[in-house]
Amino acid sequence: MTPALHVEDISLRLPDCALCDIGLDVAPGECLCVMGPTGAGKTVLVEIIAGIRRPDRGQVWLDGHNVTRLPAWARGIAYVPQDAVLFPHLSVEGNIAYGLLERPLPPERVSARVAEAAEAVGVAHLLHRNPCTLSDDEAQRVALARALVLDAGLVLLDEPFAAVDERNRERLSVRVRDLQRQRGAAVMYVSHSLEEATAVGDRICVLDAGRVAQIATPDELLRRPCCEFVATFTGARNLVQGVVLGVNGQRDFIAGSLRIPVVADHYGPARLMVRPEDIRLLPAGSAARTSPLLAGRVKRVSGSGALVRLEVTTAEVDWVVLLTPRELKAMDWGVAEGAAVAVDLPREALQVIPAEHSGSVGNSARPGSV
Amino acid sequence: MTLPAGLENGTRSTPAARPSSTERVFAATVLSALLVELLFVVAVIGALILFTDPASLAKAVASPTARSAIWLTLATVTISSTLAVVLAVPVAYGLVYWRIPCRAVVDTVIDLPIVMPPIAAGLALLLLFGYYLGDMMRPLGLYLPYTRVGIVLAQFFGTMTFAVRTAKTAFEGVGVRLPAVAGSLGSPPWRVFRRVILPLSRPGLTAGAVLTWARCIGLFGPVVMFCGVTQNRTEVLSTSIYLQNSVGQLEVAAAGTLILVTLALLTLLLLKKLGVRAPLWQ
């Protein structure tokens, strides 16, 4: 199937930011979230696809057509900029209808589509207001309606809900994703929030200093980050610095006295990552079954909401473990601060990441871990 | 026990209660500057008003020569400032919204007439349209020096940069984000200009047009060099003042000056009425 958007080796050098050989695809009906630290080039990438900026190198293809040389107005993309950018001389209704008035549509059809788009993002009651009187949240919703009303094959959303409060952000973003999926439109969604990205995105693209670090499904990104940067950016805990050694195909991750059999396709310096929710706690002295057990002690228990956070100290590493209150309650043998436990690291949860040369990244290993 | 200064009575003295000598000098400087500026303007205009009695003003205005100068001024200024604004809008649009190679050079060349000494501008016009192109244009009936059309050309040259700069300021006020977003919504450049840039820059463009007109009316150097001052032929208000003064008709010159000052005042009032806060120095 021809991708709705195909970006091929896009490069652009600007004074404060540079994109280097960016390549990605977005299928019709798919939502690709773009994440990255400030200055990674997310907005610049979106502006290149929208036609607002021209790349130094590379090509942009829409539905199989090369649009790199086409001006923004001829691309047929719906674009929602980061800061709403509403036309101050037009009413909210005039703003939403702006793009439709460029098309040969009868006025009653324009009004109906404006009303429909305004209803979808909850601004139907604001249609006759002046944009200057709107709150940031309302202005962003109007900008979203202005883009959605175009019914474009590709929608570019640059942090469309940055000014919306946390509670409504996820609800609105999922609603927009569902709307676009119904219409079969591809969505490129720039976000700062991992929660939002995992809720909305079919896949997530992580940018690091103008390069694509990884493109993967949310689950794959969280469980199988390709590098230290992605692991730390996606909030991974339990990153242990060590080395992968092995003979006869058997590979072990070694950090001080910690030696764990792992599946890895390389040797040498590496980091071991275990997601906090994958670690199991067993009563001290439990017999090992398939995965190694580490003797430890619960150092701290905190949180009482959806997840309880436990810090467990073993000989080499401090592990962070996340349990649901129900899981904690099921441990009737007693998990409390100071309790001795056995830490079970399931083999399938162990992820070995090749070490990068760029210094240290945040981890829970104590100083001295090899 | 001895209390620190200011706390003897149980109260702490605040810095605002006793301004330092530096603060007093600063306030006095600002006040003096304000007074000097106001007094100077009032004194100069006052001298003009005192000198011109209503009878001589009426007589000067009623004379055929003065009326000819007034009408020629209003006609040429309106034509030349309209031409300047009509040309300035697309030029300013290009400078603000297009990626022009060697933009700094282009910008500097366009700005040149505004920093050029007015007399030098007049001489340059005379050289171009008289010395170089004069013989070529004369058989076509388009010889411009010392003609009324020449006045329009001199005024146009003297104010076109000013018109470009005011239009540019108006477009820069709109910025590039709104037009870019309008483009992404499917508007081609002309439609973006008509639907977004023009409505948003209209106050600035109006102010620019009014100021260009006002600047045009007082233009002297290029006009006097390029067209001379021939009574009832190429005599406009600004050159008329010079001519009347040089032949000893001081009262007529003062009356002409008063008319120019009144027109300038009306321009300022019109700008205020339009609610435009345009930077007058541009």
Side-chain angles (χ1 to χ4, degrees), chain A residues 280-287 293-294 331-335 340-343:
Chain A
R280 282 177 296 191
L281 297 181
L282 301 171
S286 296
L293 291 181
L294 309 174
M331 295 174 179
D332 50 3
W333 43 271
V335 175
V341 292
V343 178

Side-chain angles (χ1 to χ4, degrees), chain A residues 75-230:
Chain A
R75 294 193 181 192
I77 293 174
Y79 166 55
V80 180
Q82 202 170 3
D83 41 0
V85 194
L86 299 179
F87 305 119
H89 61 299
L90 299 176
S91 66
V92 166
E93 188 175 17
N95 267 275
I96 299 175
Y98 186 93
L100 291 180
L101 294 178
E102 294 297 338
R103 299 174 182 187
L105 286 173
E108 61 274 18
R109 184 84 191 99
V110 171
S111 300
R113 281 176 67 170
V114 167
E116 189 189 335
E119 188 66 44
V121 296
V123 294
H125 61 294
L126 303 173
L127 284 179
H128 299 293
R129 290 261 297 271
N130 186 302
C132 305
T133 65
L134 302 178
S135 67
D136 289 348
D137 169 6
E138 290 167 340
Q140 280 196 315
R141 288 171 189 233
V142 173
L144 187 65
R146 184 175 63 182
L148 293 183
V149 79
L150 296 176
D151 215 359
L154 174 65
V155 183
L156 303 174
L157 307 172
D158 190 358
E159 299 197 41
F161 302 119
V164 179
D165 62 81
E166 197 78 36
R167 192 171 57 85
N168 283 320
R169 188 185 302 168
E170 198 172 307
R171 186 179 58 79
L172 263 174
S173 50
V174 170
R175 192 168 175 190
V176 168
R177 195 267 320 266
D178 291 345
L179 269 174
Q180 292 310 107
R181 195 170 281 172
Q182 280 169 19
R183 295 172 178 181
V187 179
M188 193 166 177
Y189 192 113
V190 175
S191 175
H192 252 109
S193 157
L194 184 66
E195 286 75 26
E196 190 184 13
T198 50
V200 174
D202 296 309
R203 288 184 302 148
I204 297 174
C205 167
V206 181
L207 291 184
D208 175 23
R211 291 176 185 273
V212 173
Q214 187 172 4
I215 301 178
T217 62
D219 189 58
E220 194 183 346
L221 194 78
L222 295 174
R223 293 190 175 279
R224 300 271 177 263
C226 68
C227 59
E228 283 178 32
F229 170 78
V230 175

Side-chain angles (χ1 to χ4, degrees), chain A residues 47 50 52-54 72-74 77-79 81-89 95 97-99 101-102 146-147 150, chain B residues 99 174 176-202:
Chain A
E47 287 179 347
I52 293 170
R53 288 180 190 273
R54 193 167 286 179
W73 59 270
I77 293 174
Y79 166 55
Q82 202 170 3
D83 41 0
V85 194
L86 299 179
F87 305 119
H89 61 299
N95 267 275
Y98 186 93
L101 294 178
E102 294 297 338
R146 184 175 63 182
L150 296 176
Chain B
R99 277 184 238 166
V174 176
V176 293
R177 294 280 290 155
L178 282 167
V181 169
S184 77
L185 293 168
S187 278
W190 161 244
R191 302 269 298 162
V192 173
F193 178 74
R194 202 173 67 75
R195 294 183 64 191
V196 177
I197 298 173
L198 203 53
L200 290 174
S201 59
R202 190 167 290 144

Side-chain angles (χ1 to χ4, degrees), chain A residues 317-355:
Chain A
V317 182
D318 285 347
W319 302 97
V320 174
V321 182
L322 292 175
L323 298 171
T324 61
R326 180 176 290 188
E327 285 172 329
L328 190 64
K329 201 174 175 186
M331 295 174 179
D332 50 3
W333 43 271
V335 175
E337 284 182 13
V341 292
V343 178
D344 181 13
L345 304 175
R347 179 168 286 198
E348 64 277 10
L350 303 178
Q351 170 70 11
V352 177
I353 303 167

Side-chain angles (χ1 to χ4, degrees), chain B residues 111-122 124 157:
Chain B
D111 274 350
L112 204 54
I114 214 166
V115 291
M116 211 168 160
I119 291 285
F157 185 76

Side-chain angles (χ1 to χ4, degrees), chain B residues 101-249:
Chain B
C102 307
R103 176 191 292 269
V105 177
V106 175
D107 218 32
T108 309
V109 171
I110 289 175
D111 274 350
L112 204 54
I114 214 166
V115 291
M116 211 168 160
I119 291 285
L123 182 68
L125 283 172
L126 197 59
L127 287 174
L128 177 66
F129 290 100
Y131 185 78
Y132 288 109
L133 301 177
D135 290 342
M136 199 162 61
M137 293 172 81
R138 199 189 299 269
L140 303 171
L142 291 173
Y143 188 74
L144 300 176
Y146 310 108
T147 63
R148 289 181 169 180
V149 179
I151 296 174
V152 171
L153 189 73
Q155 288 171 338
F156 172 77
F157 185 76
T159 51
M160 65 180 193
T161 304
F162 182 80
V164 169
R165 290 188 66 173
T166 51
K168 213 174 136 198
T169 306
F171 292 152
E172 281 166 352
V174 176
V176 293
R177 294 280 290 155
L178 282 167
V181 169
S184 77
L185 293 168
S187 278
W190 161 244
R191 302 269 298 162
V192 173
F193 178 74
R194 202 173 67 75
R195 294 183 64 191
V196 177
I197 298 173
L198 203 53
L200 290 174
S201 59
R202 190 167 290 144
L205 290 177
T206 310
V210 173
L211 286 170
T212 303
W213 189 86
R215 191 182 169 87
C216 217
I217 214 165
L219 215 62
F220 173 77
V223 177
V224 81
M225 277 302 285
F226 190 53
C227 302
V229 196
T230 310
Q231 248 184 13
N232 296 325
R233 188 173 159 77
T234 60
E235 185 183 354
V236 288
L237 273 175
S238 57
T239 53
S240 170
I241 294 164
Y242 175 76
L243 182 68
Q244 298 300 336
N245 183 48
S246 59
V247 296
Q249 297 281 337

